[in-house]
Amino acid sequence: MDTISGDSAASSPDAERLSRWEDQERAASSASRDIADVPAVEVITTTAVHLLSAAAVKVGLADDPDHQTDLDEARKIINALAGLITAGAPEISDMHARSLRDGLRSVQLAFREASVIPDPIGKGPGEKWTGPVT
């Protein structure tokens, strides 16, 4: 004769789902408290570094350029990165901004090199905010 024990009821799909939701809620709450303690400079530079890394992969500067290069996606990321760096530069120290600008220039030049038909000087990704990159 089969009976349902209290333990199996607690491990029902609904109970598991509720448990996962509660775990996710605790993690989100913890993350919200943690982000409040992070200085703006760190948020800006970390975001810029993530965009810079993504742009580098999309322009073919990663392990598998034959499968990872996507210049349309790279253009979007580089534009966003250039906007963030240009707008954020006055808010972060020159020390932080300089290295981010160098990285941005590198991916802009890599984009130009990877393009079959390069954009005219001053019309490439991000150049609206950075000026011509040569």
Side-chain angles (χ1 to χ4, degrees):
M1 176 183 218
D2 291 334
T3 60
I4 299 176
S5 70
D7 290 338
S8 65
S11 64
S12 72
D14 288 339
E16 290 175 18
R17 186 177 309 128
L18 181 59
S19 176
R20 277 196 315 271
W21 287 344
E22 289 170 349
D23 290 344
Q24 291 170 349
E25 183 64 29
R26 277 191 296 276
S29 177
S30 175
S32 295
R33 275 182 263 133
D34 291 344
I35 200 73
D37 297 331
V38 178
V41 170
E42 190 172 329
V43 173
I44 293 166
T45 56
T46 301
T47 302
V49 168
H50 284 292
L51 289 170
L52 185 58
S53 297
V57 169
K58 297 294 185 179
V59 297
L61 299 177
D63 299 336
D64 191 6
D66 293 336
H67 294 99
Q68 296 171 330
T69 301
D70 185 336
L71 296 182
D72 183 50
E73 291 290 304
R75 180 182 297 277
K76 294 171 189 171
I77 296 168
I78 293 169
N79 277 322
L81 177 61
L84 175 63
I85 291 172
T86 301
E91 307 301 328
I92 61 178
S93 70
D94 185 56
M95 175 185 71
H96 290 100
R98 187 178 309 124
S99 60
L100 293 173
R101 282 190 197 106
D102 289 345
L104 172 60
R105 183 173 185 277
S106 294
V107 293
Q108 287 174 306
L109 290 172
F111 182 95
R112 184 174 306 282
E113 188 176 306
S115 296
V116 176
I117 303 172
D119 296 313
I121 301 295
K123 300 294 183 185
E127 292 184 45
K128 174 181 178 179
W129 293 278
T130 64
V133 175
T134 55

